[in-house]
């Protein structure tokens, strides 16, 4: 039984938040390779060792070494991507900007109280987040996506629907006979739906089809195909000004999805795989969905 459209749209908002690590000579000493840039295994293991020392014993019940390692590799991937994209877009952040943000949040020691980062790691994370927010500010005012969307209740159903939707034709048309479970031409504007602007809906190129599960605790799968994208859509300046800093960071990180797809992300299998839906490294059996490229021709 398919999910009703009202629940589908709500599920898309929930997502706030694959290339498997393959063995080749260059992968053996690398934790992750993004394009032609690699992060060494030694570097990640050193960060992991230091981070585990900062976790209280009780905290290890939730933050397992494997989970912490995936967080570290994720941060390394996003760091490289945001620096690359910020350079391409001429977005800059100064040390003074980092200092000011940290001061606004109560200072270094206050931020480190509930963190496994050291001071250098904290400053890098703040800088990366400010760069991501800067990227979002460049794009959000005119950003708009149009998509056809279908609801499913199982992964098998979602995969089958995604394949039909990607190919098009009568089989795809048949997915839209029930308005309770499907809708064509849904328009999402980043300025008014910043929660959705930070999801895979906005990171997928025109013609791309995606199936994903917004919440593993619910039997809802979303399938959509992006049919249009604008960067010059009209928007209300008041709505743009209401987007929070955290939302800007998430939107800016989502703009990195096409860059990661283009460069390719190869994670050492000891850490897991890159999930382009969640924009993070996950265990191999926890990937939240899949992307089907636009049909050739």
């Amino acid at each position: 039984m398919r999910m009703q459209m009202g629940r589908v749209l709500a599920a898309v908002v929930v997502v706030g938040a694959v290339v498997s690590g393959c063995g080749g000579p260059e992968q053996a000493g690398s934790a992750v390779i993004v394009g032609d840039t690699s992060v060494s295994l030694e570097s990640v293991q050193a960060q992991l060792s230091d981070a585990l020392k900062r976790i209280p014993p009780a905290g290890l019940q939730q933050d397992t070494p494997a989970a912490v390692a995936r967080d570290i590799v994720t941060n390394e991937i996003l760091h490289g991507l945001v620096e690359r994209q910020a350079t391409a877009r001429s977005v800059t952040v100064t040390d003074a900007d980092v200092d000011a943000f940290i001061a606004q949040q109560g200072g270094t020691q206050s931020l480190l109280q509930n963190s496994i980062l050291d001071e250098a790691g904290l400053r890098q994370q703040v800088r990366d987040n400010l760069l991501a927010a800067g990227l979002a500010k460049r794009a959000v005012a005119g950003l708009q996506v149009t998509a056809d969307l279908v609801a499913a209740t199982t992964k098998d159903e979602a995969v089958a629907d995604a394949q039909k939707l990607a190919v098009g034709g009568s089989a795809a048309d048949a997915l839209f006979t029930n308005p309770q479970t499907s809708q064509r031409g849904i328009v999402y504007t980043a300025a008014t739906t910043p929660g959705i602007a930070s999801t895979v809906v906005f990171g997928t190129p025109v013609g791309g089809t995606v199936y994903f599960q917004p919440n593993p605790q619910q039997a809802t799968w979303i399938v959509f195909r992006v049919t249009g994208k604008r960067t010059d859509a009209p928007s209300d300046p008041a709505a743009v000004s209401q987007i929070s800093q955290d939302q800007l960071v998430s939107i800016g990180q989502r703009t990195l999805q096409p860059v990661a797809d283009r460069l390719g992300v190869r994670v050492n299998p000891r850490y897991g795989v890159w999930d382009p839906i969640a924009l993070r490294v996950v265990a191999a059996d926890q990937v939240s969905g899949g992307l089907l490229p636009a049909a050739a021709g």
Side-chain angles (χ1 to χ4, degrees):
M1 182 178 69
R2 295 182 181 277
M3 306 301 292
Q4 292 195 352
M5 185 53 58
R7 294 177 63 184
V8 171
L9 299 179
V12 173
V13 179
V14 169
V15 182
V18 179
V19 181
S20 163
C22 55
E26 72 277 21
Q27 188 78 59
S30 300
V32 62
I33 300 173
V34 181
D36 57 0
T37 303
S38 66
V39 177
S40 73
L41 199 63
E42 181 180 7
S43 170
V44 168
Q45 288 302 111
Q47 291 182 63
L48 177 60
S49 177
D50 289 343
L52 292 178
K53 295 174 185 176
R54 286 187 280 272
I55 300 178
L60 278 174
Q61 296 178 6
Q62 296 179 330
D63 296 318
T64 66
V68 175
R70 287 193 288 271
D71 286 344
I72 291 170
V73 179
T74 296
N75 287 340
E76 290 287 354
I77 294 169
L78 294 178
H79 171 66
L81 291 173
V82 77
E83 282 203 328
R84 181 187 294 262
Q85 191 70 345
T87 298
R89 296 287 185 265
S90 298
V91 174
T92 59
V93 169
T94 67
D95 287 340
D97 295 330
V98 174
D99 292 337
F101 184 87
I102 291 175
Q104 291 169 4
Q105 304 303 310
T108 299
Q109 294 310 311
S110 175
L111 290 176
L112 289 177
Q113 284 181 0
N114 298 310
S115 173
I116 62 174
L117 298 171
D118 59 14
E119 184 172 352
L122 172 66
R123 290 185 65 84
Q124 176 176 296
Q125 186 176 77
V126 169
R127 182 183 299 275
D128 289 348
N129 287 348
L130 291 175
L131 288 173
L135 289 170
K137 290 175 183 177
R138 294 283 183 89
V140 70
L143 194 56
Q144 187 179 87
V145 169
T146 305
D148 295 339
L149 191 147
V150 177
T153 56
T154 68
K155 181 178 180 179
D156 287 346
E157 181 185 12
V159 171
D161 287 353
Q163 292 170 340
K164 295 173 185 175
L165 196 56
V167 174
S170 59
D173 292 338
L175 298 173
F176 296 92
T177 56
N178 185 349
Q180 295 298 315
T181 62
S182 61
Q183 188 173 339
R184 287 191 184 273
I186 304 176
V187 178
Y188 299 106
T189 301
T192 54
T193 58
I196 296 178
S198 66
T199 73
V200 66
V201 173
F202 273 73
T204 302
V206 174
T209 302
V210 174
Y211 63 92
F212 71 108
Q213 187 176 31
N215 185 344
Q217 305 304 315
Q218 298 178 358
T220 303
W221 285 80
I222 306 299
V223 182
F224 69 87
R225 184 173 184 269
V226 174
T227 59
K229 185 171 290 190
R230 292 181 62 180
T231 58
D232 60 350
S235 61
D236 181 359
V240 174
S241 68
Q242 294 300 309
I243 300 176
S244 71
Q245 178 70 12
D246 286 345
Q247 288 174 324
L248 286 172
V249 171
S250 295
I251 293 169
Q253 289 177 340
R254 183 54 64 178
T255 69
L256 306 176
Q257 180 187 327
V259 183
D261 292 344
R262 173 171 54 83
L263 294 174
V265 178
R266 288 188 288 158
V267 178
N268 191 306
R270 71 186 293 172
Y271 299 117
V273 297
W274 174 247
D275 183 347
I277 310 295
L279 285 187
R280 61 175 296 105
V281 176
V282 301
D285 62 348
Q286 297 298 312
V287 176
S288 49
L291 284 70
L292 283 63

